[in-house]
């Protein structure tokens, strides 16, 4: 029985050996665990095909160096390490194995975190705005309390890391979804991109610029909270953009073309 089995194994291996000899692929004989048919179909550039598209890498580099240039005056060594580390952690998002549907799945935790953080900040926005109509000492105490909160939160490394990842996943993820979607879905991604530009762009211009001043301030100043109505309006605008984006994300996630890797 053992002799018959060994003869059968030798006979079954002969086609493999002949194929390897004919094609000069002796290294295939050293990897018996990989099916012969699978190796024959595997192109030589299969590994390179997993690398991101050039335009995505350009966007990644522009994001990294753009933030370094924009925030270099406000950043410490820890902030610089967080910025570089956050960009490196988001590199897998650019892999060609990421489909548009995967991007929509990531949007759920991102949007949930955005809404949660903004709801907390709204408490202090309302505190500042409501105290404007009262006595001067009430407005001063409200502004001091808000300064302590924002100054503590904005200088926390873990909070800045979470905010950076949210910005990167939202911006780079939208670009990944758009570039790998079918023409039927690209107009949905364009609408999502428009919402992101209106919501996130307004937030960066009207809110983040204020946050940077509070973050770098050594002492409290009432001037830091003048015109805070603009901050509150930008936050409401962000809520509206998130609400408008949700139906678009569900449409993309359920579309059959969203499961394909690339078009």
């Amino acid at each position: 029985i053992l002799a018959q089995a060994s003869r059968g194994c030798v006979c079954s291996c002969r086609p493999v050996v002949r194929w390897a000899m004919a094609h000069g692929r002796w290294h295939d004989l050293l990897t018996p665990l990989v099916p012969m048919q699978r190796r024959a179909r595997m192109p030589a550039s299969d590994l390179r095909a997993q690398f991101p598209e050039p335009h995505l890498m350009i966007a990644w580099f522009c994001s990294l160096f753009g933030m370094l240039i924009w925030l270099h005056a406000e950043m410490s060594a820890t902030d610089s390490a967080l910025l570089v580390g956050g960009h490196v952690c988001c590199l897998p998002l650019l892999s060609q194995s990421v489909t548009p549907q995967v991007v929509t799945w990531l949007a759920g935790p991102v949007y949930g975190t955005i809404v949660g953080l903004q709801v907390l900040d709204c408490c202090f926005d309302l505190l500042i705005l409501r105290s404007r109509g009262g006595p001067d000492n009430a407005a001063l105490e409200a502004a001091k309390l808000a300064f302590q909160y924002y100054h503590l939160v904005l200088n926390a490394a873990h909070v800045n890391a979470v905010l950076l990842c949210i910005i990167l996943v939202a911006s780079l993820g939208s670009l990944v979804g758009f570039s790998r979607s079918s023409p039927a879905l690209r107009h949905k991604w364009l609408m999502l991109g428009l919402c992101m530009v209106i919501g996130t762009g307004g937030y960066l211009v009207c809110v983040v610029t204020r946050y940077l001043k509070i973050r770098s301030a050594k002492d409290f100043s009432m001037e830091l909270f003048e015109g805070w109505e603009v901050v509150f309006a930008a936050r409401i605008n962000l809520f509206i953009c998130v609400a408008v984006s949700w139906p678009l994300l569900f449409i993309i996630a359920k579309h059959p073309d969203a499961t394909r890797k690339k078009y």
Side-chain angles (χ1 to χ4, degrees):
I1 295 174
L2 292 175
Q4 292 178 356
S6 62
R7 286 197 298 272
C9 292
V10 171
C11 293
S12 63
C13 291
R14 284 175 182 173
V16 176
V17 176
R18 286 198 298 269
W19 184 91
M21 293 175 63
H23 293 80
R25 295 176 64 101
W26 288 97
H27 61 279
D28 285 332
L29 300 178
L30 303 178
T31 55
L33 296 178
V34 180
M36 183 67 185
Q37 295 81 359
R38 182 179 177 184
R39 293 201 304 271
R41 294 194 304 265
M42 188 178 298
S45 61
D46 184 66
L47 183 59
R48 292 195 300 269
Q50 293 301 315
F51 288 106
E53 297 89 330
H55 68 277
L56 294 178
M57 289 306 303
I58 292 174
W60 184 86
F61 278 109
C62 289
S63 173
L64 175 59
F65 290 105
M67 288 187 178
L68 285 173
I69 294 172
W70 178 36
L71 303 172
H72 74 281
E74 308 291 340
M75 289 195 307
S76 62
T78 303
D79 296 329
S80 300
L82 285 175
L83 183 61
V84 175
H87 278 79
V88 172
C89 290
C90 289
L91 271 176
L93 179 64
L94 307 184
S95 172
Q96 292 196 25
S97 61
V98 177
T99 63
Q101 188 179 60
V102 173
V103 176
T104 60
W105 292 343
L106 293 175
V110 168
Y111 278 13
T113 306
I114 290 174
V115 172
L117 292 175
Q118 298 308 309
V119 167
L120 290 177
D121 290 347
C122 272
C123 297
F124 292 90
D125 294 343
L126 295 173
L127 177 65
I128 294 171
L129 297 178
R130 287 175 179 174
S131 63
R132 296 284 174 83
D136 293 339
N137 60 341
L140 182 62
E141 292 299 324
K144 286 183 177 180
L145 182 61
F147 176 79
Q148 293 176 359
Y149 166 76
Y150 285 120
H151 194 269
L152 177 64
V153 169
L154 295 174
N155 283 282
H158 64 284
V159 175
N160 293 328
V162 171
L163 291 175
L164 175 64
C165 290
I166 288 175
I167 294 173
L168 293 178
V169 171
S171 56
L172 296 177
S174 297
L175 188 58
V176 169
F178 174 79
S179 60
R180 295 176 186 170
S181 291
S182 64
L185 285 179
R186 285 186 177 177
H187 71 281
K188 301 295 183 184
W189 284 107
L190 286 175
M191 295 177 65
L192 278 174
L194 180 61
C195 290
M196 185 187 70
V197 169
I198 296 175
T200 309
Y203 188 81
L204 290 174
V205 173
C206 300
V207 181
V208 174
T209 53
R210 295 290 193 99
Y211 283 175
L212 291 176
K213 294 179 181 179
I214 296 175
R215 186 177 187 268
S216 59
K218 300 299 182 181
D219 299 309
F220 167 77
S221 175
M222 196 65 182
E223 295 179 356
L224 295 172
F225 297 95
E226 290 182 356
W228 203 255
E229 296 84 358
V230 177
V231 174
F232 183 69
R235 218 182 297 281
I236 297 300
N237 176 64
L238 183 60
F239 281 133
I240 295 174
C241 291
V242 169
V244 173
S245 299
W246 267 116
L248 297 174
L249 287 171
F250 281 117
I251 293 174
I252 294 173
K254 294 180 179 180
H255 200 282
D257 293 344
T259 58
R260 300 185 184 182
K261 294 183 180 180
K262 190 177 180 180
Y263 277 85

